[in-house]
Amino acid sequence: MNSSLRHLRRALVTAVTVLGLAWGSAAGGAAAGLPATAAAAPATGQPGAALPNTVVPAPVSAVADGTTYRLTASATLSSDVPDIGAYLAGVLRASTGFALPLSTGASGPGTIALQLSGAPAVVGDQGYQLTVTTHGVVLRANRPAGLFAGVQTLLQLLPASVESPTVVPGPWTVPGGTVTDYPRFAYRGAMLDVARHFFTVAQVERYIDELALYKINYLHLHLSDDQGWRIAIAGWPQLARYGGSTEVGGGPGGWYSQADYSAIVAYAASRYLTVVPEIDLPGHTNAALASYPQLNCDGVAPGLYTGTDVGFSSLCVPLQLTYTFIDQVVGEIAALTPGPYLHIGGDEATSTTAADYASFIDRAQQIVAAHGKTVIGWHDIANATLLPSTVAQFWDTSTTDGALATAAAHGTKVIMSPANKAYLDMKYTHRTKLGQDWAGLTDVNTAYGWNPGGYLSGVGATSVLGVEAPLWTETIVTPADLDYMAFPRLPAIAELGWSPWSTHGVSAFDHRLGAQGPRWKALGIGYYHSTQVSWPAGS
Ligand code: NGO
């Protein structure tokens, strides 16, 4: 189905299955006893008052004690996790110009101390407790991922210019108080489509750095599609060499060697993100079919494809070689991927009969399981019989068939990526040059204005593993394009994944989000200046 057909289908269905809460009503929560951070009122500096209303995603709890810590040239750092200490030191030294000597080892005594001890149990594996006094900062977590998340909060409590890559004047103050914080959902993802347009390792690493700022913990890489195959497979070398040689619009494409892919995985891990590789099957496979004639039912390879239609390609379901192929591809990628998930796509297989589709998804799941990975698939796979562990990713907001709700009722976990809210390739307004509009226009308050735990009838919060913001790249070519489409919407989706629903409130969010603008400016992120956001003057 091409994008205009998708649009038509969307127009024809009612929103009966979609309960999407309007942000206006959710914002009413502000009157209903929100934690301090969610209130729009600025900090007063009084004990018990809110910390400054600047942190995205909103923390579970943040209480000011009326004091202020001032980071000076004599400050020291200590960290129980050397890499996290070095990450924080790197940011702080660049902008403050201070030496900030770093000591590592158990519960060191730095003025800013990052400790893997003493955190309350409630923060779990990903949360943290941050305590700021006039004397210094103590960040406590149970696991390194929690320390890394807490470092992001600490940086957001410092002036925005702390993100400057060159030395700038302070003062470097942090409001005193205590933040206790942990995520609502375990899975907070972002997807990058490197198939429609290719992005280099360095460009992906830059995006990873941006995702880490908002406590995103999964990077889903869409590694294959009709227009390109982007990862070298030793047993099938033509996939990358030939299938990776172009992209939408006919450009040169590109592909990752296995060392490149491993470098991305390692870089993501250094930012506490886990890579989820996707090989889209059985549709969206023209690049593979073009690379190997023997994968086609008629033995004839189609040409390479550089357009943007979807739904026309399918692996040959009755062919035994199809499963040998999948086994070898999945085997090589699984061996390079430390994370638990492997995404098999499964979307828009409109050239595959329903019976073939069901039997194909059956076999693909078995293959992935045999290589020790948990399957994720776009929610179309709910039309097949799912393994108990398989995760379905909701995307198509025009779907009305109820298969996903039925699967959820049988225990299937769901990642929420409704296209009309979470797709970063949708245009902000009619005037947005980049992007598509088949799912609707998505300005910031639309991206923010839904509850992942209450959006789909039959898919309640307990069925939701988390959220993901996909960035499809039919129209997205450069890192500047990525930045423009992801900011400021990515932080909105990140907040829906992290923050308790009790903190949800659009006007407070638009203020907190606005406070990020000067940070993006310092980081060189060219973002969309949505009129819905309260940007500080000059940002
Ligand atoms: C759909 C389609 C993709 C497109 C995208 C564009 C899914 C899961 N399949 O989402 O191939 O690139 O829309 O918005």
Side-chain angles (χ1 to χ4, degrees):
M1 184 169 55
N2 65 25
S3 47
S4 53
L5 279 176
R6 262 195 224 111
H7 197 92
L8 181 66
R9 192 165 108 193
R10 179 174 173 270
L12 289 175
V13 297
T14 64
V16 174
T17 60
V18 177
L19 299 178
L21 288 174
W23 57 259
S25 62
L34 288 185
T37 44
T44 62
Q46 297 305 308
L51 282 174
N53 194 13
T54 55
V55 177
V56 177
V60 171
S61 137
V63 181
D65 70 4
T67 66
T68 298
Y69 168 65
R70 184 166 175 164
L71 178 72
T72 62
S74 61
T76 58
L77 301 182
S78 63
S79 178
D80 292 356
V81 182
D83 290 355
I84 299 177
Y87 172 94
L88 177 61
V91 178
L92 295 180
R93 286 173 189 155
S95 51
T96 65
F98 300 154
L100 298 172
L102 169 65
S103 63
T104 54
S107 304
T111 329
I112 298 180
L114 315 184
Q115 300 179 351
L116 278 182
S117 59
V122 69
V123 306
D125 285 352
Q126 295 185 43
Y128 61 90
Q129 187 164 69
L130 177 68
T131 308
V132 181
T133 66
T134 42
H135 306 295
V137 173
V138 181
L139 177 60
R140 297 184 176 90
N142 298 313
R143 309 278 305 159
L147 273 190
F148 189 75
V151 161
Q152 301 306 333
T153 299
L154 172 60
L155 289 171
Q156 289 192 23
L157 290 171
L158 280 153
S161 51
V162 76
E163 296 290 356
S164 167
T166 53
V167 177
V168 287
W172 304 107
T173 55
V174 187
T178 302
V179 179
T180 307
D181 197 17
Y182 48 89
R184 178 182 182 193
F185 295 112
Y187 187 107
R188 301 173 307 281
M191 187 214 77
L192 184 59
D193 171 11
V194 295
R196 270 50 177 277
H197 280 99
F198 182 67
F199 291 86
T200 64
V201 172
Q203 290 169 343
V204 175
E205 290 179 351
R206 177 181 149 82
Y207 197 49
I208 289 169
D209 279 337
E210 295 174 0
L211 300 175
L213 301 174
Y214 296 99
K215 304 183 172 83
I216 294 288
N217 64 344
Y218 284 90
L219 172 67
H220 167 184
L221 285 176
H222 186 74
L223 290 167
S224 70
D225 212 301
D226 291 319
Q227 300 86 349
W229 184 285
R230 305 298 180 206
I231 181 164
I233 301 296
W236 299 78
Q238 284 297 96
L239 288 172
R241 265 192 231 144
Y242 182 69
S245 66
T246 192
E247 59 191 357
V248 168
W255 46 276
Y256 306 122
S257 67
Q258 295 200 350
D260 288 340
Y261 175 77
S262 295
I264 293 173
V265 167
Y267 194 85
S270 78
R271 303 302 188 248
Y272 293 86
L273 278 91
T274 300
V275 169
V276 179
E278 178 186 354
I279 297 298
D280 204 344
L281 306 168
H284 291 272
T285 42
N286 189 77
L289 295 166
S291 304
Y292 286 96
Q294 61 269 41
L295 287 176
N296 294 268
C297 284
D298 61 4
V300 179
L304 292 171
Y305 181 70
T306 60
T308 58
D309 282 348
V310 297
F312 60 88
S313 57
S314 178
L315 288 178
C316 186
V317 174
L319 194 68
Q320 179 46 38
L321 185 66
T322 295
Y323 304 96
T324 307
F325 167 75
I326 295 172
D327 185 54
Q328 293 177 353
V329 168
V330 165
E332 289 192 29
I333 295 175
L336 297 168
T337 303
Y341 298 115
L342 201 145
H343 202 303
I344 60 166
D347 55 322
E348 301 180 309
T350 48
S351 300
T352 317
T353 65
D356 274 2
Y357 182 80
S359 89
F360 177 89
I361 296 295
D362 237 21
R363 291 187 72 172
Q365 289 181 99
Q366 299 296 341
I367 292 170
V368 171
H371 288 287
K373 297 297 177 191
T374 300
V375 175
I376 304 180
W378 298 106
H379 75 248
D380 317 46
I381 62 167
N383 292 302
T385 306
L386 301 182
L387 294 178
S389 58
T390 293
V391 175
Q393 182 168 9
F394 174 69
W395 68 277
D396 185 354
T397 30
S398 64
T399 301
T400 54
D401 61 17
L404 184 60
T406 306
H410 288 94
T412 297
K413 294 284 186 231
V414 179
I415 295 169
M416 295 295 294
S417 302
N420 60 355
K421 305 285 187 187
Y423 268 29
L424 301 178
D425 60 317
M426 290 302 120
K427 290 176 183 291
Y428 292 96
T429 73
H430 284 296
R431 286 187 301 282
T432 309
K433 291 203 179 75
L434 299 169
Q436 311 195 50
D437 63 1
W438 69 263
L441 300 169
T442 308
D443 209 332
V444 172
N445 290 346
T446 301
Y448 179 69
W450 60 291
N451 180 354
Y455 185 74
L456 272 186
S457 170
V459 183
T462 55
S463 296
V464 174
L465 183 64
V467 299
E468 185 175 290
L471 183 38
W472 300 97
T473 58
E474 286 94 332
T475 67
I476 311 299
V477 183
T478 66
D481 294 348
L482 294 181
D483 287 356
Y484 186 79
M485 298 307 272
F487 291 89
R489 291 180 293 193
L490 173 90
I493 304 302
E495 171 146 330
L496 294 176
W498 179 281
S499 305
W501 184 246
S502 58
T503 66
H504 194 88
V506 71
S507 101
F509 177 71
D510 289 341
H511 275 86
R512 281 186 287 109
L513 193 58
Q516 305 300 306
R519 289 170 192 275
W520 301 336
K521 206 169 167 188
L523 287 163
I525 298 174
Y527 58 98
Y528 168 62
H529 286 69
S530 169
T531 54
Q532 296 182 339
V533 177
S534 313
W535 306 108
S539 64

